[in-house]
Amino acid sequence: MNEHLRRFNLNLLPILDALLDTRNVTRAGERFDLTQPAASAALAKLRAAFGDELLVAVGRDLRLTPKAERIREPVRQLLELLETAFQSNDLDPAGWSGEFIMATADAVAALLLPSLIDKLDSVAPGVTLRVTNITRSSVSNLRSEDIDMIIAPPQIIDDAALMSRRLFSDRFVVVHSKDHPPPAAHELNEYMKRGHIATVIDAPHIGGPPRSNFSSEIDQLRSTQRNVAVVPYYSLLPLLVAGTSRLALVQERLAKKLMEFLPVSYIDPPEPLPTLDLHMFWSPKYNDDPRHVWLRNSIFEVCERYRT
């Protein structure tokens, strides 16, 4: 960076523009409620910065020096660029474009997206929401700014430097088909005799028992039950249970939503399982970014119904 630019006080640019425009110290100062001595002091600083008189007395008038004539239009253009930057549409979602990229499980997406997409479409129609599944690389992708946000249980996020906010809690229930009687409440043996549809997201290895990645109790139950199939999406579980005697561990809020469309119901699990807390995580770099703040607030508002 040029040394003169490094030392230049940008606060002097508006008064410089006014001096070059009015060619009058008093009138230039009046534009900014400056007294005549204050305006004269600003002119003195500008003369020192540019190494030029800028304004010279010719009779009773002040005239621009050749250098002042040369910089007059560039200064005006620079101020217009700065004004555009400070008055950008970052605070107006209606003028935004681009993508928000969020990593989360399909079960969370099924709950949030209908209302969140409606909000984006009405308030920020130029923005696309891209949702990806959570993988082992999601946290590193968040650090490298390849994604904007993760919504997940805090147990699977291994970076304490990330910002976070709790959204809501859920619990796991046992989904069964309405036309097949469920196991008796808390009857583990009967539960184990049934075939199960399980899910695992980004398994650390091929094969082996399905894992939740956040609960040893759920992992233990899934590893000892008879898994007929293991699929990567929670939302598939009720669909694959409907019309069969099979069972599946599913988040209660997702089960309630899919019960509107599928002939399934649910019961409590045969053993106590931990509550599923969901948080949103983001990079500290974007903590004060207007677009990111708006997105986070919108997600938090959409989740309000799940906190009651």
Side-chain angles (χ1 to χ4, degrees):
M1 179 182 291
N2 183 283
E3 185 62 26
H4 293 291
L5 181 59
R6 192 192 308 274
R7 292 182 297 172
F8 185 75
N9 183 356
L10 290 177
N11 291 322
L12 293 172
L13 272 180
I15 187 66
L16 172 60
D17 178 62
L19 286 166
L20 298 179
D21 181 45
T22 63
R23 307 181 190 193
N24 185 289
V25 175
T26 301
R27 289 206 303 272
E30 288 173 350
R31 290 188 181 183
F32 306 98
D33 294 324
L34 295 178
T35 63
Q36 200 277 339
S40 295
L43 176 58
K45 292 178 182 178
L46 287 165
R47 284 169 167 166
F50 283 93
D52 187 86
E53 287 297 298
L54 299 177
L55 293 171
V56 292
V58 179
R60 299 179 60 183
D61 298 325
L62 290 177
R63 293 187 181 178
L64 302 182
T65 66
K67 184 170 188 175
E69 290 282 5
R70 291 196 303 271
I71 68 172
R72 181 180 180 185
E73 187 57 29
V75 167
R76 172 61 54 83
Q77 292 175 355
L78 179 57
L79 278 173
E80 289 176 353
L81 286 172
L82 288 171
E83 185 175 358
T84 299
F86 284 109
Q87 293 182 353
S88 70
N89 60 7
D90 275 355
L91 298 180
D92 182 10
W96 294 348
S97 61
E99 289 187 332
F100 286 133
I101 305 177
M102 178 174 68
T104 192
D106 66 301
V108 178
L111 298 177
L112 271 57
L113 290 193
S115 297
L116 186 58
I117 290 173
D118 284 346
K119 187 177 184 69
L120 278 169
D121 196 30
S122 62
V123 180
V127 173
T128 298
L129 179 64
R130 184 180 296 274
V131 180
T132 66
N133 213 340
I134 295 176
T135 69
R136 284 167 290 176
S137 61
S138 291
V139 171
S140 62
N141 289 340
L142 190 60
R143 294 191 197 107
S144 61
E145 302 170 24
D146 292 323
I147 62 175
D148 297 293
M149 181 175 298
I150 297 173
I151 298 180
Q155 294 92 329
I156 72 172
I157 304 299
D158 61 356
D159 190 339
L162 294 176
M163 310 296 291
S164 69
R165 187 178 188 182
R166 180 182 173 276
L167 294 176
F168 62 91
S169 296
D170 207 343
R171 71 183 188 114
F172 277 90
V173 296
V174 179
V175 171
H176 64 89
S177 180
K178 285 184 176 180
D179 54 8
H180 285 75
H186 307 297
E187 181 49 60
L188 182 60
N189 289 335
E190 188 177 350
Y191 173 89
M192 288 298 181
K193 290 177 183 178
R194 297 284 189 96
H196 294 262
I197 309 295
T199 188
V200 61
I201 297 177
D202 195 26
H205 56 278
I206 301 300
R211 300 179 182 178
S212 66
N213 295 325
F214 71 90
S215 165
S216 58
E217 294 91 341
I218 291 177
D219 289 344
Q220 176 63 27
L221 189 60
R222 285 174 169 167
S223 66
T224 53
Q225 67 192 23
R226 184 171 65 88
N227 295 308
V228 178
V230 178
V231 298
Y233 305 113
Y234 289 104
S235 52
L236 275 178
L237 300 179
L239 180 66
L240 297 176
V241 163
T244 77
S245 62
R246 293 186 285 270
L247 307 172
L249 279 175
V250 180
Q251 298 93 325
E252 184 178 28
R253 299 187 191 280
L254 177 64
K256 285 181 177 180
K257 189 175 187 68
L258 295 183
M259 281 170 56
E260 301 174 10
F261 312 102
L262 295 170
V264 295
S265 188
Y266 65 84
I267 59 172
D268 289 337
E271 295 181 340
L273 297 177
T275 298
L276 172 66
D277 284 320
L278 289 165
H279 294 230
M280 56 180 166
F281 297 86
W282 65 93
S283 168
K285 177 178 178 178
Y286 293 107
N287 194 53
D288 298 318
D289 180 81
R291 298 187 181 207
H292 212 283
V293 171
W294 182 87
L295 175 64
R296 298 196 307 265
N297 288 340
S298 296
I299 291 173
F300 192 77
E301 290 170 8
V302 166
C303 292
E304 176 63 32
R305 71 183 72 177
Y306 303 123
R307 289 192 292 274
T308 56

